């Protein structure tokens, strides 16, 4: 069975409209909604990167603090004087 190109295009167009209606992107604000979603995703990725950098920095500071505390106790003889 062979379908004419025009008929096939019409079927595809109707299915696309149906899918867009199902996900809520069928109105005039759909372009704005997609841009907002892209902005949210970009911001989320940036936030994740910042969180990991902050955690790495805090971990580094913690380790350095432990080393400084160890050095301080070693210098003072470790007897609390």
């Amino acid at each position: 069975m062979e379908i004419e190109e025009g008929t096939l295009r019409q079927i595809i167009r109707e299915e696309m409209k149906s899918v867009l209606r199902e996900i809520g992107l069928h109105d005039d604000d759909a372009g704005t909604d997609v841009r907002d979603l892209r902005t949210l995703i970009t911001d989320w990725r940036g936030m994740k990167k910042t969180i990991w950098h902050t955690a790495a920095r805090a971990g580094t500071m913690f380790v350095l603090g432990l080393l400084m505390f160890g050095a301080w106790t070693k210098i003072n003889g470790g007897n609390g004087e």
Side-chain angles (χ1 to χ4, degrees), residues 2 37 43 45 61 66:
E2 195 169 310
L37 287 172
D43 292 346
R45 288 178 180 154
M61 295 301 287
L66 285 177

Side-chain angles (χ1 to χ4, degrees), residues 50-76:
T50 301
I51 288 170
W52 283 113
H53 283 223
T54 303
R57 187 172 293 152
T60 302
M61 295 301 287
F62 179 74
V63 170
L64 289 174
L66 285 177
L67 290 172
M68 287 181 64
F69 179 74
W72 180 74
T73 57
K74 190 72 166 174
I75 290 171
N76 287 332

Side-chain angles (χ1 to χ4, degrees), residues 30-50:
T32 304
D33 294 342
V34 171
R35 280 190 294 279
D36 289 346
L37 287 172
R38 286 182 178 168
T39 301
L40 284 172
I41 290 170
T42 301
D43 292 346
W44 172 250
R45 288 178 180 154
M47 189 171 62
K48 282 194 314 184
K49 185 177 179 182
T50 301

